[in-house]
Amino acid sequence: MRLSPFTLSLLAAFPLQTQAQLHALAQKAGLLYFGAATDTPGFRERAPYPQSYAQYDAILEDPEEFGQTTPTNGQKWLFVEPQPGLFNFTEGDYVANLANRTEKILRCHALVWHSQLAPWVETTQWTPETLTEAIERHIREVAGYYKGRCYAWDVVNEALDEDGTYRKSVFYNVLGEEYLKLAFRVAAEVDPEAKLYYNDYGIERPASVKTAGAKRLVKMLQDAGVRIDGVGMQAHLHADNHPSEEDLIATSKGYAELGVEVAFTELDVRIKLPVDEQKLKWQSDCYEKVVGACVRVKACVGITVWDFYDPFSWVPDVFPGNGASLLWFENFEKHPAYDGMVRKFSELIEGNVTRE
Ligand code: XIL
Protein backbone atom coordinates (compact mmCIF):
# COMPACT_ATOMS: atom_id res chain seq x y z
CA MET A 1 0.00 0.00 0.00
CA ARG A 2 1.22 3.47 -0.95
CA LEU A 3 0.65 6.12 1.70
CA SER A 4 -0.16 9.56 0.39
CA PRO A 5 1.89 12.51 1.62
CA PHE A 6 -1.25 13.60 3.45
CA THR A 7 -1.56 10.28 5.30
CA LEU A 8 2.15 10.34 6.09
CA SER A 9 1.87 13.82 7.53
CA LEU A 10 -1.12 12.69 9.61
CA LEU A 11 0.83 9.71 10.94
CA ALA A 12 3.72 11.99 11.86
CA ALA A 13 1.39 14.37 13.66
CA PHE A 14 -0.49 11.60 15.52
CA PRO A 15 1.83 8.64 16.07
CA LEU A 16 -0.17 5.45 16.62
CA GLN A 17 -0.65 4.98 20.31
CA THR A 18 0.72 1.77 21.71
CA GLN A 19 -1.91 -0.95 21.89
CA ALA A 20 -2.35 -3.66 24.51
CA GLN A 21 -3.43 -1.41 27.26
CA LEU A 22 -5.19 -1.50 30.61
CA HIS A 23 -7.24 -4.70 30.35
CA ALA A 24 -4.51 -6.58 28.48
CA LEU A 25 -1.98 -5.53 31.10
CA ALA A 26 -4.33 -6.30 33.99
CA GLN A 27 -4.78 -9.82 32.68
CA LYS A 28 -1.04 -10.29 32.27
CA ALA A 29 -0.66 -9.19 35.88
CA GLY A 30 -3.14 -11.88 37.00
CA LEU A 31 -6.39 -9.91 37.29
CA LEU A 32 -9.58 -11.01 35.63
CA TYR A 33 -10.31 -7.60 34.19
CA PHE A 34 -9.77 -3.87 33.98
CA GLY A 35 -13.08 -2.28 33.10
CA ALA A 36 -15.01 0.93 32.64
CA ALA A 37 -18.58 1.62 33.66
CA THR A 38 -20.74 3.45 31.14
CA ASP A 39 -24.17 5.02 30.82
CA THR A 40 -26.90 5.11 28.20
CA PRO A 41 -26.14 7.55 25.33
CA GLY A 42 -28.09 10.79 25.58
CA PHE A 43 -28.92 10.53 29.26
CA ARG A 44 -27.75 12.36 32.38
CA GLU A 45 -24.06 13.35 32.34
CA ARG A 46 -23.72 12.10 28.74
CA ALA A 47 -26.53 14.24 27.36
CA PRO A 48 -24.58 17.40 26.42
CA TYR A 49 -21.80 15.67 24.48
CA PRO A 50 -23.19 13.77 21.46
CA GLN A 51 -20.30 15.01 19.33
CA SER A 52 -17.84 12.93 21.35
CA TYR A 53 -19.67 9.59 21.09
CA ALA A 54 -17.72 8.16 18.14
CA GLN A 55 -14.34 8.68 19.76
CA TYR A 56 -15.70 7.60 23.12
CA ASP A 57 -17.17 4.36 21.80
CA ALA A 58 -13.94 3.45 20.02
CA ILE A 59 -12.05 3.59 23.32
CA LEU A 60 -14.78 1.87 25.35
CA GLU A 61 -15.11 -0.96 22.86
CA ASP A 62 -11.37 -1.59 22.46
CA PRO A 63 -11.02 -5.05 24.01
CA GLU A 64 -7.43 -4.41 25.04
CA GLU A 65 -8.41 -1.30 26.94
CA PHE A 66 -11.50 -2.44 28.83
CA GLY A 67 -12.47 -6.06 29.39
CA GLN A 68 -15.40 -5.35 31.67
CA THR A 69 -18.25 -2.89 31.98
CA THR A 70 -21.02 -1.90 34.41
CA PRO A 71 -24.12 0.20 33.73
CA THR A 72 -23.70 3.34 35.82
CA ASN A 73 -27.48 3.76 36.03
CA GLY A 74 -29.50 1.45 33.78
CA GLN A 75 -30.16 -1.39 36.24
CA LYS A 76 -31.12 0.76 39.20
CA TRP A 77 -34.55 0.37 40.78
CA LEU A 78 -35.70 3.80 39.59
CA PHE A 79 -35.22 2.76 35.98
CA VAL A 80 -36.05 -0.95 36.00
CA GLU A 81 -39.15 -0.87 38.23
CA PRO A 82 -40.46 2.71 38.09
CA GLN A 83 -43.97 1.60 39.06
CA PRO A 84 -44.83 -1.38 41.27
CA GLY A 85 -44.57 -4.51 39.14
CA LEU A 86 -43.82 -2.54 35.96
CA PHE A 87 -40.40 -3.49 34.63
CA ASN A 88 -38.36 -1.71 31.97
CA PHE A 89 -34.98 -3.05 30.92
CA THR A 90 -34.27 -0.65 28.06
CA GLU A 91 -31.42 1.20 29.75
CA GLY A 92 -29.92 -1.85 31.41
CA ASP A 93 -30.02 -3.70 28.12
CA TYR A 94 -28.01 -1.02 26.37
CA VAL A 95 -24.96 -1.81 28.51
CA ALA A 96 -25.65 -5.55 28.82
CA ASN A 97 -25.84 -5.81 25.03
CA LEU A 98 -22.71 -3.72 24.59
CA ALA A 99 -20.90 -6.09 26.96
CA ASN A 100 -22.13 -9.05 25.00
CA ARG A 101 -21.27 -7.59 21.59
CA THR A 102 -17.78 -6.52 22.66
CA GLU A 103 -17.16 -9.64 24.76
CA LYS A 104 -16.73 -7.80 28.02
CA ILE A 105 -17.43 -9.16 31.47
CA LEU A 106 -20.59 -7.54 32.85
CA ARG A 107 -20.86 -6.42 36.47
CA CYS A 108 -24.50 -5.80 37.32
CA HIS A 109 -25.45 -2.89 39.59
CA ALA A 110 -27.45 -2.64 41.91
CA LEU A 111 -30.46 -4.59 43.25
CA VAL A 112 -31.17 -3.03 46.64
CA TRP A 113 -30.06 0.55 47.26
CA HIS A 114 -31.63 3.47 49.13
CA SER A 115 -30.66 5.97 46.42
CA GLN A 116 -32.11 6.26 42.91
CA LEU A 117 -34.94 4.22 44.30
CA ALA A 118 -38.34 4.42 42.61
CA PRO A 119 -40.37 6.99 44.61
CA TRP A 120 -43.18 4.51 45.24
CA VAL A 121 -40.86 2.39 47.37
CA GLU A 122 -40.38 5.30 49.75
CA THR A 123 -43.97 6.51 49.83
CA THR A 124 -45.75 3.18 50.34
CA GLN A 125 -46.81 2.35 53.90
CA TRP A 126 -45.11 -1.03 54.27
CA THR A 127 -45.52 -3.87 56.68
CA PRO A 128 -42.56 -6.26 56.98
CA GLU A 129 -44.55 -8.75 54.89
CA THR A 130 -45.44 -6.41 52.03
CA LEU A 131 -41.91 -4.95 51.78
CA THR A 132 -40.45 -8.46 51.81
CA GLU A 133 -42.70 -9.31 48.88
CA ALA A 134 -41.73 -6.16 46.99
CA ILE A 135 -37.99 -6.77 47.44
CA GLU A 136 -38.35 -10.39 46.47
CA ARG A 137 -40.36 -9.58 43.35
CA HIS A 138 -37.83 -6.91 42.34
CA ILE A 139 -34.87 -9.26 42.66
CA ARG A 140 -36.66 -12.18 41.00
CA GLU A 141 -37.61 -10.06 38.00
CA VAL A 142 -34.36 -8.13 37.59
CA ALA A 143 -31.78 -10.79 38.45
CA GLY A 144 -33.98 -13.32 36.64
CA TYR A 145 -34.05 -11.19 33.49
CA TYR A 146 -30.23 -10.86 33.46
CA LYS A 147 -29.64 -14.43 34.65
CA GLY A 148 -26.43 -15.93 33.30
CA ARG A 149 -25.16 -12.62 31.96
CA CYS A 150 -23.74 -11.01 35.09
CA TYR A 151 -20.31 -12.01 36.31
CA ALA A 152 -21.35 -10.33 39.55
CA TRP A 153 -24.33 -8.55 41.08
CA ASP A 154 -24.07 -5.72 43.56
CA VAL A 155 -26.89 -7.23 45.58
CA VAL A 156 -26.92 -4.55 48.26
CA ASN A 157 -25.30 -1.16 47.78
CA GLU A 158 -24.35 1.33 50.52
CA ALA A 159 -26.17 -0.24 53.46
CA LEU A 160 -23.83 1.44 55.94
CA ASP A 161 -23.87 4.92 57.41
CA GLU A 162 -20.76 7.04 57.83
CA ASP A 163 -20.32 5.71 61.39
CA GLY A 164 -20.38 2.09 60.24
CA THR A 165 -23.85 1.30 61.60
CA TYR A 166 -26.69 0.35 59.29
CA ARG A 167 -28.06 3.17 57.17
CA LYS A 168 -31.63 4.01 58.15
CA SER A 169 -33.10 3.36 54.71
CA VAL A 170 -36.69 2.35 54.10
CA PHE A 171 -35.41 -1.24 53.85
CA TYR A 172 -33.69 -1.11 57.24
CA ASN A 173 -36.44 0.85 58.93
CA VAL A 174 -39.06 -1.75 58.05
CA LEU A 175 -37.05 -4.97 58.10
CA GLY A 176 -33.84 -4.40 60.05
CA GLU A 177 -30.88 -6.46 58.89
CA GLU A 178 -33.29 -9.14 57.66
CA TYR A 179 -33.52 -7.26 54.37
CA LEU A 180 -29.84 -8.00 53.68
CA LYS A 181 -30.31 -11.71 54.25
CA LEU A 182 -33.44 -11.68 52.12
CA ALA A 183 -31.74 -9.89 49.22
CA PHE A 184 -28.71 -12.19 49.12
CA ARG A 185 -30.84 -15.31 49.60
CA VAL A 186 -33.17 -14.46 46.73
CA ALA A 187 -30.33 -13.38 44.43
CA ALA A 188 -28.50 -16.66 45.11
CA GLU A 189 -31.58 -18.61 44.24
CA VAL A 190 -32.37 -16.67 41.08
CA ASP A 191 -28.88 -16.44 39.54
CA PRO A 192 -26.72 -19.12 41.16
CA GLU A 193 -23.77 -18.44 38.83
CA ALA A 194 -23.42 -14.73 39.60
CA LYS A 195 -20.99 -13.63 42.31
CA LEU A 196 -22.98 -11.84 44.95
CA TYR A 197 -21.37 -8.65 46.22
CA TYR A 198 -21.84 -6.13 48.97
CA ASN A 199 -20.72 -2.77 47.51
CA ASP A 200 -19.99 0.50 49.33
CA TYR A 201 -17.87 3.65 49.43
CA GLY A 202 -15.51 4.64 52.22
CA ILE A 203 -14.57 1.02 52.92
CA GLU A 204 -11.09 1.20 51.38
CA ARG A 205 -9.08 2.07 54.50
CA PRO A 206 -8.30 -0.63 57.07
CA ALA A 207 -9.01 1.47 60.16
CA SER A 208 -12.25 3.08 59.02
CA VAL A 209 -15.39 2.35 61.01
CA LYS A 210 -17.19 1.64 57.75
CA THR A 211 -14.63 -1.03 56.85
CA ALA A 212 -15.35 -2.65 60.21
CA GLY A 213 -19.05 -2.35 59.41
CA ALA A 214 -18.62 -4.04 56.04
CA LYS A 215 -16.77 -6.93 57.66
CA ARG A 216 -19.51 -7.26 60.28
CA LEU A 217 -22.08 -7.31 57.52
CA VAL A 218 -20.26 -10.10 55.66
CA LYS A 219 -19.96 -12.14 58.87
CA MET A 220 -23.59 -11.53 59.75
CA LEU A 221 -24.67 -13.03 56.40
CA GLN A 222 -22.26 -15.94 56.70
CA ASP A 223 -23.42 -16.69 60.25
CA ALA A 224 -26.98 -16.78 58.96
CA GLY A 225 -25.94 -19.31 56.32
CA VAL A 226 -26.43 -16.82 53.48
CA ARG A 227 -24.02 -16.79 50.55
CA ILE A 228 -21.94 -13.68 49.88
CA ASP A 229 -19.05 -13.90 47.43
CA GLY A 230 -17.51 -10.49 47.25
CA VAL A 231 -16.97 -7.04 48.67
CA GLY A 232 -16.86 -4.16 46.21
CA MET A 233 -14.84 -1.15 47.28
CA GLN A 234 -16.32 1.66 45.21
CA ALA A 235 -13.13 3.71 45.61
CA HIS A 236 -14.43 7.21 44.89
CA LEU A 237 -11.12 8.67 46.02
CA HIS A 238 -9.50 12.11 46.37
CA ALA A 239 -6.23 13.02 44.65
CA ASP A 240 -5.02 15.16 47.56
CA ASN A 241 -5.74 12.68 50.36
CA HIS A 242 -5.76 9.07 49.28
CA PRO A 243 -5.04 5.74 50.99
CA SER A 244 -1.56 4.24 50.75
CA GLU A 245 -0.95 1.06 48.77
CA GLU A 246 -0.24 -0.73 52.07
CA ASP A 247 -3.61 0.38 53.41
CA LEU A 248 -5.44 -0.77 50.30
CA ILE A 249 -3.65 -4.12 50.54
CA ALA A 250 -4.45 -4.49 54.24
CA THR A 251 -8.12 -3.67 53.68
CA SER A 252 -8.43 -6.07 50.75
CA LYS A 253 -6.77 -8.85 52.70
CA GLY A 254 -9.05 -8.15 55.65
CA TYR A 255 -12.07 -8.92 53.48
CA ALA A 256 -10.34 -11.86 51.81
CA GLU A 257 -9.73 -13.42 55.22
CA LEU A 258 -13.49 -13.76 55.54
CA GLY A 259 -13.46 -15.92 52.43
CA VAL A 260 -14.77 -13.42 49.87
CA GLU A 261 -13.19 -11.92 46.76
CA VAL A 262 -12.78 -8.18 46.36
CA ALA A 263 -12.88 -5.69 43.51
CA PHE A 264 -12.47 -1.95 43.05
CA THR A 265 -15.85 -1.32 41.51
CA GLU A 266 -16.30 2.42 40.88
CA LEU A 267 -12.83 3.90 40.88
CA ASP A 268 -12.42 7.61 40.24
CA VAL A 269 -10.00 10.10 41.78
CA ARG A 270 -11.40 13.58 42.05
CA ILE A 271 -9.30 16.72 41.84
CA LYS A 272 -10.15 20.03 43.49
CA LEU A 273 -10.40 22.33 40.48
CA PRO A 274 -8.53 23.91 38.82
CA VAL A 275 -6.36 21.07 37.58
CA ASP A 276 -2.60 21.51 37.80
CA GLU A 277 0.41 19.28 37.35
CA GLN A 278 0.86 18.61 41.06
CA LYS A 279 -2.75 17.45 41.46
CA LEU A 280 -2.50 15.26 38.36
CA LYS A 281 0.60 13.68 39.87
CA TRP A 282 -1.24 12.93 43.13
CA GLN A 283 -4.08 11.52 41.09
CA SER A 284 -1.71 9.28 39.17
CA ASP A 285 -0.15 8.10 42.45
CA CYS A 286 -3.60 7.16 43.69
CA TYR A 287 -4.59 5.21 40.56
CA GLU A 288 -1.21 3.43 40.65
CA LYS A 289 -1.71 2.43 44.29
CA VAL A 290 -5.04 0.83 43.45
CA VAL A 291 -3.35 -1.12 40.65
CA GLY A 292 -0.54 -2.17 43.00
CA ALA A 293 -2.95 -3.29 45.70
CA CYS A 294 -5.21 -5.26 43.37
CA VAL A 295 -2.29 -7.04 41.71
CA ARG A 296 -0.67 -7.93 45.02
CA VAL A 297 -3.82 -9.37 46.59
CA LYS A 298 -4.90 -12.69 45.14
CA ALA A 299 -8.53 -12.14 46.15
CA CYS A 300 -8.73 -8.95 44.07
CA VAL A 301 -10.34 -9.84 40.75
CA GLY A 302 -10.39 -6.49 38.99
CA ILE A 303 -10.67 -2.75 38.77
CA THR A 304 -13.53 -0.76 37.23
CA VAL A 305 -13.30 2.97 36.61
CA TRP A 306 -16.63 4.78 36.96
CA ASP A 307 -16.55 5.83 33.29
CA PHE A 308 -13.27 6.94 31.73
CA TYR A 309 -14.05 10.26 30.00
CA ASP A 310 -14.16 13.35 32.28
CA PRO A 311 -17.25 14.99 30.78
CA PHE A 312 -19.28 11.84 31.56
CA SER A 313 -18.24 11.69 35.20
CA TRP A 314 -20.79 12.09 38.02
CA VAL A 315 -18.23 13.95 40.17
CA PRO A 316 -18.64 17.61 39.05
CA ASP A 317 -22.43 17.44 39.46
CA VAL A 318 -22.41 15.88 42.89
CA PHE A 319 -19.25 17.45 44.34
CA PRO A 320 -19.14 21.00 42.96
CA GLY A 321 -15.60 22.35 42.63
CA ASN A 322 -14.25 18.86 41.93
CA GLY A 323 -13.65 17.15 38.63
CA ALA A 324 -11.13 15.70 36.19
CA SER A 325 -11.45 12.45 38.11
CA LEU A 326 -11.14 9.99 35.23
CA LEU A 327 -8.50 9.02 32.64
CA TRP A 328 -9.37 10.98 29.48
CA PHE A 329 -9.77 14.76 29.41
CA GLU A 330 -12.56 16.41 27.44
CA ASN A 331 -10.25 16.73 24.37
CA PHE A 332 -9.50 12.99 24.60
CA GLU A 333 -5.95 13.49 25.78
CA LYS A 334 -5.08 10.98 28.46
CA HIS A 335 -4.35 11.91 32.06
CA PRO A 336 -0.87 11.15 33.43
CA ALA A 337 -2.65 8.53 35.56
CA TYR A 338 -3.23 6.46 32.45
CA ASP A 339 0.49 6.20 31.74
CA GLY A 340 1.11 5.82 35.45
CA MET A 341 -1.07 2.70 35.58
CA VAL A 342 0.48 1.29 32.40
CA ARG A 343 3.90 1.76 33.98
CA LYS A 344 2.77 0.25 37.27
CA PHE A 345 1.22 -2.83 35.64
CA SER A 346 4.35 -3.28 33.50
CA GLU A 347 6.66 -3.10 36.53
CA LEU A 348 4.57 -5.63 38.41
CA ILE A 349 4.46 -7.97 35.42
CA GLU A 350 8.21 -7.71 34.80
CA GLY A 351 8.94 -8.12 38.51
CA ASN A 352 6.77 -11.25 38.54
CA VAL A 353 5.21 -10.16 41.80
CA THR A 354 3.27 -12.81 43.66
CA ARG A 355 -0.39 -12.37 44.33
CA GLU A 356 -0.98 -13.33 47.94
C1 XIL B 1 -23.96 7.64 40.09
C2 XIL B 1 -24.07 7.79 38.58
O1 XIL B 1 -22.80 7.73 38.02
C3 XIL B 1 -24.76 9.10 38.23
O2 XIL B 1 -24.98 9.19 36.84
C4 XIL B 1 -26.09 9.20 38.97
O3 XIL B 1 -26.69 10.43 38.71
C5 XIL B 1 -25.89 9.02 40.46
O4 XIL B 1 -25.22 7.77 40.70
N1 XIL B 1 -22.23 5.05 44.16
C6 XIL B 1 -22.85 4.15 43.33
C7 XIL B 1 -23.18 4.55 41.95
O5 XIL B 1 -23.02 2.99 43.71
O6 XIL B 1 -24.35 3.93 41.48
C8 XIL B 1 -23.31 6.05 41.78
O7 XIL B 1 -23.46 6.35 40.40
C9 XIL B 1 -22.09 6.74 42.37
C10 XIL B 1 -21.97 6.43 43.84
Side-chain angles (χ1 to χ4, degrees):
M1 185 180 59
R2 258 255 178 83
L3 297 179
S4 72
F6 176 68
T7 313
L8 286 170
S9 69
L10 267 185
L11 279 173
F14 305 99
L16 290 178
Q17 293 188 336
T18 26
Q19 289 304 307
Q21 298 298 5
L22 296 172
H23 176 64
L25 289 166
Q27 284 206 315
K28 278 201 194 117
L31 309 191
L32 193 56
Y33 61 81
F34 192 103
T38 193
D39 206 353
T40 327
F43 287 83
R44 296 167 288 273
E45 290 92 347
R46 289 189 65 159
Y49 300 90
Q51 70 285 1
S52 54
Y53 286 1
Q55 249 177 308
Y56 175 87
D57 286 346
I59 299 168
L60 177 64
E61 294 182 18
D62 180 349
E64 310 272 280
E65 200 72 86
F66 300 119
Q68 179 274 329
T69 192
T70 311
T72 51
N73 285 288
Q75 293 175 321
K76 292 172 178 174
W77 197 313
L78 175 63
F79 304 111
V80 294
E81 196 187 357
Q83 302 289 331
L86 186 79
F87 291 88
N88 179 348
F89 297 108
T90 317
E91 288 212 52
D93 280 352
Y94 173 80
V95 179
N97 293 341
L98 182 140
N100 188 42
R101 180 164 48 80
T102 58
E103 296 180 26
K104 294 187 203 308
I105 292 171
L106 180 67
R107 287 196 89 264
C108 293
H109 172 81
L111 291 170
V112 179
W113 187 29
H114 69 282
S115 184
Q116 290 181 290
L117 191 53
W120 63 270
V121 183
E122 290 194 288
T123 52
T124 304
Q125 294 293 313
W126 301 107
T127 64
E129 291 70 31
T130 55
L131 184 57
T132 298
E133 277 167 28
I135 294 172
E136 190 166 340
R137 175 178 62 184
H138 182 76
I139 298 175
R140 281 195 191 283
E141 289 290 332
V142 180
Y145 180 83
Y146 288 107
K147 181 179 174 174
R149 292 197 273 168
C150 307
Y151 163 76
W153 257 114
D154 291 329
V155 177
V156 177
N157 198 31
E158 303 182 353
L160 296 169
D161 246 325
E162 309 311 310
D163 66 358
T165 63
Y166 289 120
R167 183 189 290 278
K168 312 304 175 279
S169 65
V170 55
F171 305 112
Y172 185 78
N173 290 341
V174 178
L175 291 166
E177 67 184 14
E178 286 306 307
Y179 90 85
L180 291 144
K181 299 182 202 163
L182 169 73
F184 278 85
R185 242 187 225 124
V186 177
E189 195 192 308
V190 174
D191 191 354
E193 304 284 304
K195 305 263 186 196
L196 307 182
Y197 270 64
Y198 175 68
N199 195 52
D200 209 337
Y201 65 89
I203 60 163
E204 299 84 8
R205 287 175 155 96
S208 116
V209 283
K210 270 189 93 168
T211 300
K215 289 195 210 167
R216 261 199 321 275
L217 190 156
V218 171
K219 280 197 218 125
M220 181 278 292
L221 291 172
Q222 291 172 334
D223 290 347
V226 177
R227 174 160 73 88
I228 170 163
D229 304 300
V231 171
M233 292 171 276
Q234 293 184 2
H236 294 295
L237 302 174
H238 299 244
D240 61 1
N241 175 16
H242 59 256
S244 66
E245 188 169 321
E246 290 67 34
D247 273 359
L248 294 169
I249 291 172
T251 312
S252 303
K253 285 191 173 166
Y255 297 126
E257 277 161 16
L258 304 174
V260 294
E261 62 178 46
V262 300
F264 292 94
T265 52
E266 305 185 10
L267 176 60
D268 52 25
V269 183
R270 78 189 66 144
I271 283 176
K272 284 199 188 94
L273 300 173
V275 172
D276 65 27
E277 254 174 62
Q278 174 64 71
K279 296 175 196 170
L280 287 168
K281 168 77 173 71
W282 291 333
Q283 179 182 58
S284 184
D285 291 345
C286 180
Y287 273 104
E288 290 168 45
K289 288 169 192 175
V290 172
V291 165
C294 194
V295 171
R296 286 174 191 280
V297 177
K298 209 183 185 164
C300 187
V301 295
I303 300 169
T304 308
V305 285
W306 204 240
D307 218 307
F308 60 90
Y309 180 52
D310 286 338
F312 295 176
S313 169
W314 72 304
V315 166
D317 289 348
V318 180
F319 308 100
N322 292 268
S325 56
L326 298 172
L327 299 173
W328 272 260
F329 292 108
E330 179 162 359
N331 64 3
F332 284 102
E333 264 176 45
K334 289 171 180 161
H335 286 220
Y338 180 94
D339 295 325
M341 285 197 285
V342 168
R343 206 173 42 240
K344 182 82 177 192
F345 272 127
S346 306
E347 278 168 18
L348 293 162
I349 295 162
E350 276 153 33
N352 239 327
V353 14
T354 36
R355 287 171 48 72
E356 47 185 51

